Amino acid sequence: MDGNGRWAQKRGLPRTEGHRAGEEALFDAAQGAVELGIPWLTVYAFSTENWRRPPDEVRFLINVIADNLLTRRRDALHELGVRIRFIGRRDWRVPRWVGRKMDEAAELTRDNTRMTLTVAFNYGGRAELVDAVRRLVEEGVPARKIDDRAIRARLYAPEMPDPDLVIRTSGEFRLSNFLIWEVAYSELVFTDVLWPDFRREHLIEAVREFQRRERRFGDTDARHGGGEPAGSDLGSQ
Ligand code: FPP
């Protein structure tokens, strides 16, 4: 959800106003995703690197997430049938009261089936892989048993399907440590729209773009593919 700061600067507003507007955009996009029948939506809300931002901005971001998403929007999302979940590190930097609100939102919405909204908070794709490797070592898994499946089972949300589509806003052409393992075969759509201006129409446009793509998953022809390669098959790609 990139471009909040630039959106605010263009209007002569503090960067934090961009995050506030970004939260509105997220709610609209989430409603749009539900309407489109998209079963999984994952948003990058706060990265393991975002702690480097000025303390006021960090505090504001955490409050926007906690006060809006986890309080005001939580019930609306629940009514829409959205299951809310979080991926990322729960380390000492995540205030305890925020962790509690995350757990409450996840608990309240856990049986909802219309869409899973996964919020990546204090998340980094490399950190996720580091944590998976740590778990393998802690569990004493022998090297010969380590394959794609063993690693996937130790990601933050192992049952979450790999994303079909990744949308990057604000004219940036990077993945910035987002779901590094999971996006191996995702289609990437880049848009110049700054995140606070993003609405469900932009989501629909990105899905249309996705539908025009031919996905081969390493095969020569989409017709042969039959979908994403599973498990250790990836080793021969
Ligand atoms: C990147 O834009 C955006 C973020 C670091 C924060 C994203 C958070 C929100 C949209 C707030 C709402 C989120 C939830 C889950 C309720 P930037 O600040 O780096 O923008 P810039 O590249 O223009 O400086």
PDB file of all heavy atoms in Angstrom, residues 84-96:
ATOM      1  N   ILE A  84     -10.225 -11.947   9.736  1.00  0.00           N
ATOM      2  CA  ILE A  84      -9.039 -11.079   9.830  1.00  0.00           C
ATOM      3  C   ILE A  84      -7.911 -11.867  10.471  1.00  0.00           C
ATOM      4  O   ILE A  84      -8.109 -12.505  11.512  1.00  0.00           O
ATOM      5  CB  ILE A  84      -9.333  -9.815  10.683  1.00  0.00           C
ATOM      6  CG1 ILE A  84     -10.525  -9.039  10.110  1.00  0.00           C
ATOM      7  CG2 ILE A  84      -8.100  -8.921  10.767  1.00  0.00           C
ATOM      8  CD1 ILE A  84     -11.008  -7.891  10.997  1.00  0.00           C
ATOM      9  N   ARG A  85      -6.756 -11.826   9.839  1.00  0.00           N
ATOM     10  CA  ARG A  85      -5.595 -12.491  10.438  1.00  0.00           C
ATOM     11  C   ARG A  85      -4.334 -11.658  10.250  1.00  0.00           C
ATOM     12  O   ARG A  85      -4.299 -10.763   9.419  1.00  0.00           O
ATOM     13  CB  ARG A  85      -5.402 -13.858   9.786  1.00  0.00           C
ATOM     14  CG  ARG A  85      -6.578 -14.752  10.114  1.00  0.00           C
ATOM     15  CD  ARG A  85      -6.286 -16.164   9.924  1.00  0.00           C
ATOM     16  NE  ARG A  85      -5.582 -16.375   8.673  1.00  0.00           N
ATOM     17  CZ  ARG A  85      -5.202 -17.548   8.255  1.00  0.00           C
ATOM     18  NH1 ARG A  85      -5.413 -18.604   8.986  1.00  0.00           N
ATOM     19  NH2 ARG A  85      -4.593 -17.703   7.108  1.00  0.00           N
ATOM     20  N   PHE A  86      -3.311 -12.009  10.981  1.00  0.00           N
ATOM     21  CA  PHE A  86      -2.060 -11.247  10.929  1.00  0.00           C
ATOM     22  C   PHE A  86      -0.892 -12.167  10.644  1.00  0.00           C
ATOM     23  O   PHE A  86      -0.859 -13.297  11.146  1.00  0.00           O
ATOM     24  CB  PHE A  86      -1.827 -10.516  12.260  1.00  0.00           C
ATOM     25  CG  PHE A  86      -2.858  -9.460  12.481  1.00  0.00           C
ATOM     26  CD1 PHE A  86      -4.073  -9.773  13.056  1.00  0.00           C
ATOM     27  CD2 PHE A  86      -2.637  -8.176  12.035  1.00  0.00           C
ATOM     28  CE1 PHE A  86      -5.058  -8.813  13.196  1.00  0.00           C
ATOM     29  CE2 PHE A  86      -3.609  -7.204  12.178  1.00  0.00           C
ATOM     30  CZ  PHE A  86      -4.819  -7.528  12.762  1.00  0.00           C
ATOM     31  N   ILE A  87       0.042 -11.683   9.843  1.00  0.00           N
ATOM     32  CA  ILE A  87       1.309 -12.393   9.702  1.00  0.00           C
ATOM     33  C   ILE A  87       2.425 -11.414  10.042  1.00  0.00           C
ATOM     34  O   ILE A  87       2.299 -10.213   9.815  1.00  0.00           O
ATOM     35  CB  ILE A  87       1.516 -12.984   8.278  1.00  0.00           C
ATOM     36  CG1 ILE A  87       1.338 -11.910   7.188  1.00  0.00           C
ATOM     37  CG2 ILE A  87       0.586 -14.167   8.034  1.00  0.00           C
ATOM     38  CD1 ILE A  87       1.724 -12.387   5.784  1.00  0.00           C
ATOM     39  N   GLY A  88       3.490 -11.935  10.599  1.00  0.00           N
ATOM     40  CA  GLY A  88       4.610 -11.078  10.971  1.00  0.00           C
ATOM     41  C   GLY A  88       5.152 -11.503  12.317  1.00  0.00           C
ATOM     42  O   GLY A  88       4.653 -12.458  12.926  1.00  0.00           O
ATOM     43  N   ARG A  89       6.178 -10.811  12.737  1.00  0.00           N
ATOM     44  CA  ARG A  89       6.806 -11.168  14.014  1.00  0.00           C
ATOM     45  C   ARG A  89       6.102 -10.488  15.172  1.00  0.00           C
ATOM     46  O   ARG A  89       5.868  -9.279  15.132  1.00  0.00           O
ATOM     47  CB  ARG A  89       8.272 -10.709  14.014  1.00  0.00           C
ATOM     48  CG  ARG A  89       9.184 -11.733  13.407  1.00  0.00           C
ATOM     49  CD  ARG A  89      10.627 -11.342  13.621  1.00  0.00           C
ATOM     50  NE  ARG A  89      11.486 -12.335  12.978  1.00  0.00           N
ATOM     51  CZ  ARG A  89      12.735 -12.130  12.619  1.00  0.00           C
ATOM     52  NH1 ARG A  89      13.313 -10.964  12.844  1.00  0.00           N
ATOM     53  NH2 ARG A  89      13.432 -13.089  12.055  1.00  0.00           N
ATOM     54  N   ARG A  90       5.812 -11.238  16.188  1.00  0.00           N
ATOM     55  CA  ARG A  90       5.264 -10.665  17.421  1.00  0.00           C
ATOM     56  C   ARG A  90       6.433 -10.460  18.373  1.00  0.00           C
ATOM     57  O   ARG A  90       6.586 -11.193  19.339  1.00  0.00           O
ATOM     58  CB  ARG A  90       4.341 -11.686  18.017  1.00  0.00           C
ATOM     59  CG  ARG A  90       2.896 -11.537  18.129  1.00  0.00           C
ATOM     60  CD  ARG A  90       2.204 -10.285  18.088  1.00  0.00           C
ATOM     61  NE  ARG A  90       0.906 -10.530  17.481  1.00  0.00           N
ATOM     62  CZ  ARG A  90      -0.132 -11.037  18.117  1.00  0.00           C
ATOM     63  NH1 ARG A  90      -0.063 -11.311  19.385  1.00  0.00           N
ATOM     64  NH2 ARG A  90      -1.251 -11.240  17.488  1.00  0.00           N
ATOM     65  N   ASP A  91       7.295  -9.507  18.088  1.00  0.00           N
ATOM     66  CA  ASP A  91       8.448  -9.340  18.977  1.00  0.00           C
ATOM     67  C   ASP A  91       8.202  -8.193  19.959  1.00  0.00           C
ATOM     68  O   ASP A  91       7.117  -7.611  20.009  1.00  0.00           O
ATOM     69  CB  ASP A  91       9.758  -9.190  18.184  1.00  0.00           C
ATOM     70  CG  ASP A  91       9.717  -7.987  17.256  1.00  0.00           C
ATOM     71  OD1 ASP A  91       8.928  -7.058  17.501  1.00  0.00           O
ATOM     72  OD2 ASP A  91      10.484  -7.978  16.274  1.00  0.00           O
ATOM     73  N   TRP A  92       9.221  -7.844  20.720  1.00  0.00           N
ATOM     74  CA  TRP A  92       9.067  -6.857  21.792  1.00  0.00           C
ATOM     75  C   TRP A  92       8.648  -5.478  21.277  1.00  0.00           C
ATOM     76  O   TRP A  92       8.143  -4.650  22.029  1.00  0.00           O
ATOM     77  CB  TRP A  92      10.395  -6.734  22.551  1.00  0.00           C
ATOM     78  CG  TRP A  92      11.542  -6.337  21.652  1.00  0.00           C
ATOM     79  CD1 TRP A  92      12.327  -7.176  20.917  1.00  0.00           C
ATOM     80  CD2 TRP A  92      11.995  -5.012  21.336  1.00  0.00           C
ATOM     81  NE1 TRP A  92      13.237  -6.464  20.178  1.00  0.00           N
ATOM     82  CE2 TRP A  92      13.059  -5.124  20.422  1.00  0.00           C
ATOM     83  CE3 TRP A  92      11.600  -3.728  21.748  1.00  0.00           C
ATOM     84  CZ2 TRP A  92      13.734  -4.026  19.896  1.00  0.00           C
ATOM     85  CZ3 TRP A  92      12.279  -2.628  21.233  1.00  0.00           C
ATOM     86  CH2 TRP A  92      13.331  -2.794  20.326  1.00  0.00           C
ATOM     87  N   ARG A  93       8.823  -5.254  19.962  1.00  0.00           N
ATOM     88  CA  ARG A  93       8.487  -3.927  19.452  1.00  0.00           C
ATOM     89  C   ARG A  93       6.982  -3.742  19.251  1.00  0.00           C
ATOM     90  O   ARG A  93       6.494  -2.620  19.144  1.00  0.00           O
ATOM     91  CB  ARG A  93       9.211  -3.683  18.123  1.00  0.00           C
ATOM     92  CG  ARG A  93      10.715  -3.629  18.310  1.00  0.00           C
ATOM     93  CD  ARG A  93      11.431  -3.468  17.013  1.00  0.00           C
ATOM     94  NE  ARG A  93      11.265  -4.603  16.128  1.00  0.00           N
ATOM     95  CZ  ARG A  93      11.929  -4.796  14.995  1.00  0.00           C
ATOM     96  NH1 ARG A  93      12.815  -3.904  14.616  1.00  0.00           N
ATOM     97  NH2 ARG A  93      11.726  -5.854  14.252  1.00  0.00           N
ATOM     98  N   VAL A  94       6.256  -4.841  19.177  1.00  0.00           N
ATOM     99  CA  VAL A  94       4.797  -4.749  18.995  1.00  0.00           C
ATOM    100  C   VAL A  94       4.165  -4.555  20.374  1.00  0.00           C
ATOM    101  O   VAL A  94       4.237  -5.448  21.226  1.00  0.00           O
ATOM    102  CB  VAL A  94       4.239  -6.035  18.344  1.00  0.00           C
ATOM    103  CG1 VAL A  94       2.727  -5.951  18.187  1.00  0.00           C
ATOM    104  CG2 VAL A  94       4.927  -6.304  17.010  1.00  0.00           C
ATOM    105  N   PRO A  95       3.564  -3.368  20.599  1.00  0.00           N
ATOM    106  CA  PRO A  95       2.992  -3.132  21.934  1.00  0.00           C
ATOM    107  C   PRO A  95       2.005  -4.237  22.312  1.00  0.00           C
ATOM    108  O   PRO A  95       1.260  -4.726  21.458  1.00  0.00           O
ATOM    109  CB  PRO A  95       2.274  -1.786  21.786  1.00  0.00           C
ATOM    110  CG  PRO A  95       2.877  -1.139  20.594  1.00  0.00           C
ATOM    111  CD  PRO A  95       3.352  -2.240  19.690  1.00  0.00           C
ATOM    112  N   ARG A  96       2.017  -4.567  23.599  1.00  0.00           N
ATOM    113  CA  ARG A  96       1.203  -5.705  24.033  1.00  0.00           C
ATOM    114  C   ARG A  96      -0.290  -5.473  23.768  1.00  0.00           C
ATOM    115  O   ARG A  96      -1.009  -6.375  23.370  1.00  0.00           O
ATOM    116  CB  ARG A  96       1.454  -5.980  25.515  1.00  0.00           C
ATOM    117  CG  ARG A  96       1.374  -7.484  25.768  1.00  0.00           C
ATOM    118  CD  ARG A  96       1.804  -7.875  27.138  1.00  0.00           C
ATOM    119  NE  ARG A  96       3.256  -7.761  27.314  1.00  0.00           N
ATOM    120  CZ  ARG A  96       3.843  -7.740  28.495  1.00  0.00           C
ATOM    121  NH1 ARG A  96       3.135  -7.802  29.590  1.00  0.00           N
ATOM    122  NH2 ARG A  96       5.149  -7.636  28.592  1.00  0.00           N
TER     123      ARG A  96
END
